[in-house]
Amino acid sequence: MRIHVLGGGPAGLYFAYLMKSTFPAYQVRVLEQNAADVTFGFGVVLSGRAREIIAEGDSDIIERLGARAESWSDQHIVHCGEAVRVDGSSFSGVARIELLGELQAMCAQSGVLMRFGQRFNPDEMRDCDVLVGADGASSALRDNHADAFGTKVRDLQNYFAWYGVARPFPTHTLTFVRTRDGVFCGHHYRYKPGMSTFLPEVDDKTWERSGLYAMEEEQRRRHIENVFADTLGGQPLISNRSLWRRWRMVTNDRWSHRNMVLIGDALHTAHPSIGSGTRLAMEDAIALWRALKVEGTETSAAFQRYEAERRPVRERLNKAAERSIDWYERLGEKMHLAPYDFSYDYLLRTGVMTPERLERYSPQFMARLREAQGVNSG
Ligand SMILES: Cc1cc2nc3c(=O)[nH]c(=O)nc-3n(C[C@H](O)[C@H](O)[C@H](O)COP(=O)(O)OP(=O)(O)OC[C@H]3O[C@@H](n4cnc5c(N)ncnc54)[C@H](O)[C@@H]3O)c2cc1C
């Protein structure tokens, strides 16, 4: 069988590796427009559960990343200058470039053919048994066949950018800063010694009132440094093609068309506030690989099996993402809450976390919440 994978991000590389290591006789090719050692952004965060799920494909990747990952067990939510500690989470941060580097090495060892540094036209790559669209949120493969896939794209209200900073934050942190222009939210976490990802987000009103909408990228970067001066401790934000934009929610009514099939962000973007885009992309890769293992060269049957098994999971997460997006878009209405009430509201925003589960996983946070509520109402 001949398999072409368009896009060498986490989804494309992981799928290619799993296929080639299971079916050494297959020809598996990855086509990536960037050079092998170039990517956008800085670090990605993976929860403990995400690491377990990724390891279901091949635990080697998690072991390889283990030594390079930064791990922490608490989350901090900074509101009104007070850091609220939420115990009981398990997260790791890893540089995106290192994740890709490890996946590339695994692909090379298993015999996947990889071509870098050229933007490929998907329609010229269709001479194969399976063409996998792993070409990310702006997938050309998907957009060239948008009617066949039933693609729906929705631009969300809030704006964000993905920066780095040479400041090792102790744990995964969300910092909320109110200025006279509106509310600014910073998601930040360490992904290697001395380095963190810093992802600022604003709603559309703040975007307008602060003048960010009219600024050049460089001015925007400096504006955000000023807003978060205390958090950043004087460190500059570092740009790596860090462009401000609105989040695009992409969904597809059909996941395959003829010999083409979508995985990862090309199929379905996951909002960063539920923090699991990389995990979901790699999980799609596992699901497609499993379906092809069962159905062999019956690719249509494999595509149907892949969609039937994976769609319910994706739709459940989509519902959680919708609720999270709504919370962030109405952030201004939440800012009057005291730090513990605010954090509690945040933690329950998707409906996935319930008060009972919080009691079980974050008992110290819940004890301090009750204490704070007692103090406030007393
Ligand atoms: C601001 C931001 C923050 C994020 N934070 C997190 C986080 O903390 N945790 C997390 O898990 N995820 C995070 N994500 C999401 C995560 O980056 C994506 O969900 C994940 O990378 C999806 O993987 P993918 O392989 O599907 O697509 P991508 O990683 O986008 O890979 C697609 C690849 O296809 C290549 N490509 C595209 N078109 C072509 C073409 N025509 N020819 C050749 N190559 C092509 C691209 O160069 C790219 O390498 C974040 C994303 C953003 C934008």
Side-chain angles (χ1 to χ4, degrees), residues 7 10-11 32-33 45 96 120 135 160 162 189 245 264-265 277-278:
E32 167 57 45
Q33 65 188 354
V45 63
R96 181 178 155 96
F120 291 87
D135 48 343
F160 70 93
W162 202 0
Y189 50 87
R245 60 192 148 154
D265 274 11
T278 302

Side-chain angles (χ1 to χ4, degrees), residues 6-12 31-34 40 43-46 96 118-120 122 134-137 140 160-162 189 199 245 247 263-266 272 275-279 281:
L6 187 70
L31 311 155
E32 167 57 45
Q33 65 188 354
N34 289 329
F40 60 85
V44 297
V45 63
L46 298 171
R96 181 178 155 96
Q118 184 185 332
R119 186 167 173 83
F120 291 87
D135 48 343
F160 70 93
W162 202 0
Y189 50 87
L199 193 141
R245 60 192 148 154
W247 191 263
I263 59 173
D265 274 11
S276 48
T278 302
R279 184 263 287 212

